Amino acid sequence: MTNATDRKSAAQSAKASKRERRESPAQQPKLGFFGTLRWLWRQLTSMRTALFLLLILAVAAVPGSIFPQTNIDSTRVTNYLAEHRTIGPWLDRFGFFNVFSSPWFAAIYLLLVISLLGCIIPRTRKQVRALHAPIPKMPRRLDRLPEHRECTIDASPQDVLQAAQSVLRAKRYRFRVDTTAEGVPQAIAAEGGRLREAGNLLFHTCLVFVIIAVAYGHLVGWNGQVIVPAGQGFTSTASRYDTLDTGPLVNIANLTPFSINVNHMDVTFEHDVPSTSPQYGQPRDFVASVTAKLPNMAPKATTIEVNHALDIASTEVYLLGNGYAPKVTVRNAKGQILYADETPFLPQNNNYTSVGAIKVPGASPKQLGFFGFFLPTASFSSTQGPTSTFPALNNPALVLGLYEGNLFPDGSPQSVYTLDTQQMTQVKGSDGQPLRLLIRPGQTVKLPDKLGSITLDSVPRWAGLSVRYDPGKMPALYGALLALLGLIMSMTLRRRRLFVKVAAAADEGEPDDRRTLVTIGGLSKGEDPRLPVGLDNLLESIVKRTGKP
Amino acid sequence: MITAATDHVANAALNTASIHFLWSSAAVLTLAMLAFGIDLAGFPARDARAKEREAERAKALENSAVAQKVATGAGGGTAVLDSAPRPANPAEGGDAEEKRKWAGIGMSLSWLGGLLLVANVVFRAWSVDRPPLANMYEFAAVGTMFVMVAFLGWSLRKDVRWLGLFVVAPVVLVEMLCAVVFYTAASSVLPSLKSPWLMIHVTVATLSIALFTIAFSLTILYFIQLWREEKDEEWQAEGGARFRFMDSMPKSDVLDRTSYGVIILAFPLWTFTLIAGSIWAQKAWGSYWTWDPKEVWTLVIWVVYAAYLHARLTAGWTGKKAAYIALAGFACILVNYMIVNVFFVGMHSYSGM
């Protein structure tokens, strides 16, 4: 609010501007530093600004759904940048691939939070004051109110007032009984629905709380992804995860080192439909049977399914992916084992045509690297090359090429699913074409040039586990549910004032104490199309309670 | 595109029955649409006849019209309330004496079409043995069912025959889209959909979309009425009002309030959809919010309707401007349903198309 001095100075400068109008036609009143701050604050916390910010937020979120987002799928971002060489870098510069962590998006929601606070604080103050305010005075004439009713009841005025009180009490209205000068009750003034504003405030406060809870979860939460072939296990330490995203306040040395062993992995695919149906080969069930063990505790056998995570050490372990990890053995020409491991391949489509690489750094004189496909149901077409036609192991085969040379040219970390072939050369077959190996389970294939042999021993599945710690999620949920409660309160409750007046009914000019003329009137704060119905109901309840209409 | 269920995971006979119910419902509701249309078209004539009767009775009424002050039921019955005379609503009063035969036929056909639609959903659920909420075809069928249920339920409490055409027409449109474009053979679902949250989250989502759709129809009518009210003088000068059948509908301010009433019913439901979706996302995907396109658009819809509710309380934004925001909200719902499901890459890839 503008205080007196401000108003005075504004008036003075207005006068001044009148005098100086000829020289400078449009001179604004001076606000001063604090005045400007106050002006800014009031602009920011006005309903109009909140409205604009909401609309801008809605518009700003849209690009995040149109363009691929780094936090969701960074491969698609890379592909997009490769395909759109002119516009791509510009989009990247303005954060269109990281919309929800970009400064401009953050600016919008932070301004909204400030605007929210600017609306909550003064309104809370007002609400507290309203809770203590006395019930308003009885209007002299109820028929001047927006809605009023009148009727005569066969009961004494005191009975009618008693009935009105119990009705209003049941409706949780606060009320005051007014008496005549002689102390005889004659009217009731009542007020209800004050919780409407309380609900509205609860809603807005909880929104801020939810935002804080989400931010807290981001700061102290972490999540790690790990691929575990069936038959193997992992221990929850920072180095064991394939990827680990941590909040800024997480100390990764403090993770509880629980361990999970994946005993076996059961997957069912739809095969009861014609192969032309889009449902053919769709996954139907994923179940990982695991043994979980906390440090110094007995191991426990359990299952992890989609929609059924495992709770362990305040974290949750989700089953989010699956695929095949062919067990491959590579031997040198003398028959010594150079490599023997379950090697996870990444599914590329619904039929699990999977890609991967087998890196054999122990081979000499040159390191060996196999790359290629694992096909659970192999099919070789002249147009598409090797593909899989069904996700289950109906006709499994490994289709590999072979490189020799230096696997890790610059020593930097690289993906385990691809080869870095900068310092490698492709091994050719006897026909001079690049070597192509086709290996089925149980088969051993000799490599050319006395490089040794490769065996596909078996094809276990792997489970993609995601371990998450997010202490902000339950507070966020409770906040959201309370916000919903507040929202419902603010939309169903009506702030109303109701007045009831009684008088002995005049019967042919004579006041008759056994009959009462009751008048009720009501008004609402804000829009209230159901006020007439409310008044009708009130009168009907009073009539019912006195029992004698 | 229409093939009777060929998938043997589902009960083929039940699914075929369900498709027949959908087609019958569309046929019946098309007839209901026609009946409502005829009823609306008949309004000017009905109105003229009512005025004639009014004139005839005017003299007789003059004599008997006395102040209706306090009237007491002497010994029995309920109290007779003396209500201040309120402006007569043209949709309710006016031609109350004349029976609106075609509107009655429209309502009866709507009940039949609505029941057939319920049968469609029930038989689909029966044939796939799960809540029928797992692909676009099923959402659309359940959504239209909710539109009809909401409209028919409303019609029990209030005379909303004037709205019939504008509810039944979009329902028929979506039913046809369902049968021809969205149709997905009955089948079992992906593991992530096997959860009680499918029932909770998607049911509430479709219910609130149904309500938003009704609010959208009301908003469109609001704009038409507002336009007619603005042009009224001009048209009177040119020789009489136009589109007189629209007089059988409430005035723009009533429509504005009504659509607001429907939206404040739908908004908490949409809020619940967001919360329930987050809970389910946490259970199925390990994170309650991943900025998946569907999540983004659900939030955008929520924010736009929140803006609408604020606009109605902001000076200078009430009326037309607020109604534009409500239209934008519904446009976002259409994008969320038609475009995000099919074209955007995300985790909500359940369209079945």
Side-chain angles (χ1 to χ4, degrees):
Chain A
M1 273 196 201
T2 335
N3 63 25
T5 37
D6 265 353
R7 232 177 284 143
K8 208 192 275 169
S9 67
Q12 278 168 355
S13 42
K15 252 186 225 159
S17 75
K18 228 181 209 172
R19 258 186 268 122
E20 293 163 16
R21 183 154 294 164
R22 263 169 227 149
E23 292 112 78
S24 55
Q27 193 174 358
Q28 296 290 322
K30 281 208 180 74
L31 283 172
F33 178 67
F34 288 105
T36 313
L37 275 187
R38 197 181 294 117
W39 179 83
L40 271 175
W41 173 252
R42 294 192 60 193
Q43 286 300 310
L44 186 58
T45 57
S46 76
M47 185 76 113
R48 190 180 303 266
T49 312
L51 180 60
F52 274 119
L53 285 172
L54 278 171
L55 290 174
I56 293 171
L57 181 74
V59 173
V62 171
S65 71
I66 295 172
F67 299 110
Q69 297 295 299
T70 315
N71 60 335
I72 298 174
D73 192 345
S74 54
T75 323
R76 283 187 57 227
V77 177
T78 318
N79 292 345
Y80 188 93
L81 284 171
E83 282 166 29
H84 301 82
R85 292 202 172 274
T86 32
I87 196 158
W90 281 100
L91 289 172
D92 197 18
R93 215 158 289 159
F94 288 109
F96 277 84
F97 302 118
N98 291 294
V99 167
F100 304 109
S101 49
S102 69
W104 47 269
F105 194 76
I108 298 168
Y109 70 72
L110 286 178
L111 283 173
L112 251 178
V113 168
I114 294 172
S115 158
L116 258 175
L117 289 175
C119 125
I120 293 169
I121 295 165
R123 279 173 63 188
T124 309
R125 234 183 276 143
K126 224 187 224 174
Q127 170 70 0
V128 170
R129 232 177 284 139
L131 286 177
H132 293 102
I135 293 163
K137 227 179 84 188
M138 191 84 189
R140 193 167 300 154
R141 293 188 55 183
L142 295 186
D143 54 356
R144 291 269 172 86
L145 293 177
E147 286 291 331
H148 71 105
R149 301 281 185 278
E150 212 169 48
C151 95
T152 312
I153 302 176
D154 274 347
S156 75
Q158 296 317 309
D159 287 349
V160 170
L161 274 189
Q162 281 300 330
Q165 283 181 45
S166 57
V167 173
L168 289 169
R169 209 170 287 132
K171 284 175 170 262
R172 294 172 192 283
Y173 271 54
R174 323 187 285 160
F175 57 84
R176 184 191 59 229
V177 181
D178 292 343
T179 55
T180 55
E182 295 88 52
V184 183
Q186 60 157 8
I188 303 174
E191 191 181 40
R194 284 172 309 154
L195 286 181
R196 177 191 174 87
E197 176 70 359
N200 198 315
L201 285 169
L202 178 68
F203 172 71
H204 285 100
T205 313
C206 284
L207 282 189
V208 176
F209 180 76
V210 168
I211 293 172
I212 292 171
V214 171
Y216 174 69
H218 277 291
L219 288 176
V220 302
W222 56 269
N223 76 75
Q225 264 88 28
V226 60
I227 281 179
V228 186
Q232 296 189 8
F234 86 103
T235 301
S236 175
T237 54
S239 58
R240 181 59 183 85
Y241 287 106
D242 299 332
T243 58
L244 181 65
D245 296 323
T246 55
L249 302 182
V250 178
N251 182 356
I252 52 169
N254 289 349
L255 306 187
T256 310
F258 62 83
S259 60
I260 289 176
N261 202 68
V262 177
N263 303 323
H264 56 93
M265 173 84 200
D266 297 311
V267 180
T268 337
F269 298 102
E270 185 66 79
H271 54 87
D272 279 344
V273 295
S275 55
T276 48
S277 162
Q279 296 294 331
Y280 183 70
Q282 288 285 317
R284 289 294 174 240
D285 263 312
F286 301 131
V287 185
S289 303
V290 300
T291 307
K293 188 182 174 309
L294 277 165
N296 312 319
M297 299 274 272
K300 205 182 98 191
T302 180
T303 58
I304 308 177
E305 294 170 50
V306 181
N307 278 320
H308 295 280
L310 167 69
D311 287 332
I312 188 167
S314 338
T315 63
E316 277 140 352
V317 184
Y318 296 89
L319 175 63
L320 291 189
N322 72 97
Y324 295 101
K327 185 169 189 303
V328 174
T329 307
V330 180
R331 293 180 175 82
N332 63 14
K334 291 178 202 154
Q336 288 168 323
I337 294 176
L338 301 175
Y339 178 95
D341 209 354
E342 283 98 347
T343 315
F345 275 56
L346 284 187
Q348 301 299 300
N349 57 25
N350 284 345
N351 284 326
Y352 284 57
T353 299
S354 309
V355 297
I358 299 157
K359 300 179 186 181
V360 192
S364 61
K366 285 177 183 164
Q367 294 179 329
L368 292 181
F370 299 87
F371 75 96
F373 296 101
F374 173 74
L375 310 166
T377 301
S379 154
F380 302 93
S381 79
S382 50
T383 49
Q384 289 176 307
T387 55
S388 175
T389 52
F390 194 75
L393 292 173
N394 293 346
N395 181 24
L398 263 178
V399 180
L400 297 175
L402 177 58
Y403 278 86
E404 57 179 356
N406 185 3
L407 280 169
F408 307 103
D410 45 8
S412 61
Q414 53 171 265
S415 162
V416 295
Y417 305 105
T418 53
L419 288 181
D420 183 342
T421 55
Q422 281 179 50
Q423 296 181 14
M424 301 192 93
T425 50
Q426 195 159 14
V427 175
K428 302 240 160 63
S430 49
D431 53 358
Q433 292 294 310
L435 179 69
R436 202 174 90 166
L437 303 163
L438 175 67
I439 318 161
R440 294 183 191 276
Q443 281 185 345
T444 299
V445 175
K446 280 209 142 186
L447 302 177
D449 309 334
K450 295 193 177 157
L451 288 171
S453 69
I454 179 168
T455 312
L456 175 57
D457 301 303
S458 60
V459 187
R461 293 181 192 274
W462 56 256
L465 299 179
S466 173
V467 182
R468 288 179 187 262
Y469 173 65
D470 181 357
K473 72 170 189 245
M474 288 322 280
L477 175 62
Y478 295 137
L481 290 175
L482 276 177
L484 182 61
L485 175 73
L487 184 64
I488 293 171
M489 278 165 69
S490 76
M491 291 195 162
T492 51
L493 296 176
R494 299 266 172 235
R495 186 142 186 210
R496 284 177 187 163
R497 285 175 182 173
L498 299 177
F499 303 98
V500 181
K501 238 182 211 176
V502 292
D507 200 8
E508 290 167 9
E510 289 290 305
D512 179 356
D513 241 10
R514 284 157 309 163
R515 299 187 63 214
T516 305
L517 172 63
V518 51
T519 317
I520 63 176
L523 78 162
S524 298
K525 198 177 175 195
E527 220 167 76
D528 186 1
R530 291 187 61 78
L531 180 64
V533 184
L535 247 60
D536 289 347
N537 288 344
L538 174 63
L539 195 51
E540 212 168 280
S541 308
I542 293 175
V543 168
K544 235 180 237 162
R545 282 189 196 232
T546 52
K548 290 166 277 182
Chain B
M1 299 278 291
I2 310 288
T3 50
T6 39
D7 304 352
H8 96 224
V9 263
N11 185 322
L14 289 174
N15 189 47
T16 312
S18 141
I19 296 167
H20 290 161
F21 282 130
L22 180 66
W23 281 101
S24 329
S25 167
V28 169
L29 289 181
T30 308
L31 293 176
M33 204 167 85
L34 281 173
F36 282 129
I38 294 171
D39 171 63
L40 287 184
F43 174 79
R46 218 159 46 227
D47 192 36
R49 283 197 295 277
K51 277 190 183 127
E52 248 166 59
R53 279 196 304 276
E54 198 88 339
E56 278 169 27
R57 244 176 299 140
K59 278 169 198 167
L61 274 169
E62 230 163 68
N63 299 334
S64 62
V66 198
Q68 329 145 296
K69 256 292 169 188
V70 190
T72 346
T78 47
V80 179
L81 306 178
D82 162 42
S83 54
R86 263 177 279 152
N89 186 341
E92 288 160 10
D95 56 331
E97 290 97 342
E98 196 165 342
K99 225 179 155 195
R100 287 164 61 184
K101 192 175 73 190
W102 284 105
I105 293 173
M107 282 314 295
S108 306
L109 288 172
S110 300
W111 277 99
L112 179 59
L115 282 177
L116 287 167
L117 200 46
V118 171
N120 157 259
V121 171
V122 169
F123 273 67
R124 174 77 177 194
W126 195 1
S127 85
V128 292
D129 204 15
R130 59 172 166 77
L133 296 161
N135 52 52
M136 257 174 101
Y137 166 70
E138 292 171 355
F139 308 142
V142 173
T144 49
M145 181 190 79
F146 279 137
V147 171
M148 286 312 292
V149 168
F151 171 67
L152 293 170
W154 195 9
S155 78
L156 291 178
R157 296 188 53 180
K158 261 198 158 173
D159 180 5
V160 282
R161 290 178 292 182
W162 52 271
L163 188 57
L165 175 63
F166 304 93
V167 166
V168 171
V171 165
V172 171
L173 178 72
V174 175
E175 280 184 322
M176 296 317 290
L177 281 173
C178 259
V180 179
V181 183
F182 300 153
Y183 183 75
T184 309
S187 69
S188 196
V189 291
L190 298 176
S192 55
L193 290 182
K194 285 180 185 158
S195 162
W197 289 100
L198 172 68
M199 190 73 174
I200 302 166
H201 166 65
V202 190
T203 307
V204 178
T206 34
L207 179 59
S208 44
I209 288 177
L211 292 176
F212 281 130
T213 309
I214 293 179
F216 169 74
S217 279
L218 288 165
T219 310
I220 293 289
L221 290 177
Y222 160 79
F223 275 110
I224 297 174
Q225 290 294 60
L226 197 65
W227 173 63
R228 290 179 62 241
E229 283 158 24
E230 279 165 3
K231 290 269 177 181
D232 191 47
E233 250 173 59
E234 196 178 311
W235 288 345
Q236 293 292 359
E238 284 172 20
R242 291 186 207 168
F243 308 106
R244 283 210 49 220
F245 71 92
M246 288 291 291
D247 280 338
S248 67
M249 271 168 234
K251 291 236 157 46
S252 64
D253 55 337
V254 177
L255 287 168
D256 184 43
R257 270 206 303 279
T258 316
S259 78
Y260 172 67
V262 177
I263 288 173
I264 60 170
L265 206 61
F267 187 72
L269 288 173
W270 194 252
T271 313
F272 179 80
T273 303
L274 259 174
I275 297 173
S278 304
I279 297 173
W280 190 11
Q282 176 75 45
K283 287 189 175 298
W285 302 329
S287 172
Y288 59 88
W289 195 263
T290 45
W291 296 108
D292 179 73
K294 197 84 178 176
E295 291 174 347
V296 171
W297 278 92
T298 305
L299 183 67
V300 166
I301 292 165
W302 189 84
V303 167
V304 172
Y305 278 107
Y308 165 78
L309 295 177
H310 283 90
R312 284 186 59 97
L313 298 174
T314 307
W317 275 81
T318 48
K320 237 180 180 176
K321 277 191 193 166
Y324 279 126
I325 299 179
L327 288 189
F330 193 73
C332 291
I333 287 181
L334 289 182
V335 169
N336 195 23
Y337 178 72
M338 307 273 232
I339 297 177
V340 176
N341 275 5
V342 182
F343 297 105
F344 286 12
V345 181
M347 295 173 86
H348 280 81
S349 46
Y350 307 125
S351 73
M353 294 173 68

